[in-house]
């Protein structure tokens, strides 16, 4: 009886210790990786997250990497690519892990693949019904038409976003909620729609060439 009590007390303290004292690297950078000091996770935070996002608009390229403690339910679903306009592509990777200092190093971004014979409707320009072109052509594994909207907060900014176009499986989520790292980068997804992308109908092109 006494032994088992000691064992359960020991087990309890060990569990509490590992649950409370998870340590994760915390940093942010405008590059594909970052490293920083270890942070002791608090309360319900039980995962270390690494998140890298690259946005390309024409020749402009913007990258951001964030690392830190987070709640398990704030973990994004993993790698994805999105095409939102002919010259606008986003790719991202993320990973959550639950051991001390497991979020070191860099994540590999998914490849920017070639067009895949599918298309989605483009998004409307802000506050108007005009669109950029009439089709967004999808790439690689982007076989879904997506519509995502919500808020993205980083630093002192908190802005609304709408992403519409082609996307891969992992971005095609019906899980609304919050993703990211408190205090560094948090995305609140308030609306997510997802449908199979359209196949290009080559008879359209044949008709054109005969006219
Ligand atoms: C950003 O703004 C929205 C809307 O006001 C709010 O719901 C959300 O909590 C804010 N996010 C952060 C991290 O402050």
């Amino acid at each position: 009886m006494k032994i088992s009590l000691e064992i359960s007390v020991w087990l309890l303290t060990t569990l509490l210790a590992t649950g409370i004292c998870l340590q994760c690297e915390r940093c942010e950078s405008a590059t594909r990786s970052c490293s920083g000091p270890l942070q002791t996770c608090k309360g319900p935070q039980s995962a270390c997250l690494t998140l890298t996002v690259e946005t390309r608009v024409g020749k402009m390229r913007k990258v951001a990497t964030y690392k830190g403690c987070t709640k398990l339910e704030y973990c994004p679903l993993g790698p994805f690519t999105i095409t939102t306009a002919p010259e606008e592509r986003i790719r991202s990777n993320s990973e959550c892990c639950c051991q001390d200092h497991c979020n070191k190093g860099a994540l590999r971004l998914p490849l920017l693949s070639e067009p895949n014979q599918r298309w989605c409707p483009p998004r409307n320009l802000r506050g108007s019904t005009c669109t950029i072109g009439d089709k967004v052509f999808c790439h690689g594994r982007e076989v879904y038409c997506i519509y995502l909207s919500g808020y993205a907060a980083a630093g002192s900014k908190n802005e609304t976003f709408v992403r519409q176009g082609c996307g891969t499986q992992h971005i095609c989520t019906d899980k609304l909620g919050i993703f990211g790292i408190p205090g560094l980068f948090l995305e609140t997804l308030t609306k997510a729609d997802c449908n199979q992308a359209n196949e290009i109908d080559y008879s359209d092109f044949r008709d054109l060439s005969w006219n």
Side-chain angles (χ1 to χ4, degrees), residues 151 153 158 186:
Y151 305 95
N158 183 0
L186 277 184

Side-chain angles (χ1 to χ4, degrees), residues 151-153 157-159 178 186 188:
Y151 305 95
K157 280 194 215 159
N158 183 0
E159 291 169 342
I178 302 174
L186 277 184
T188 309

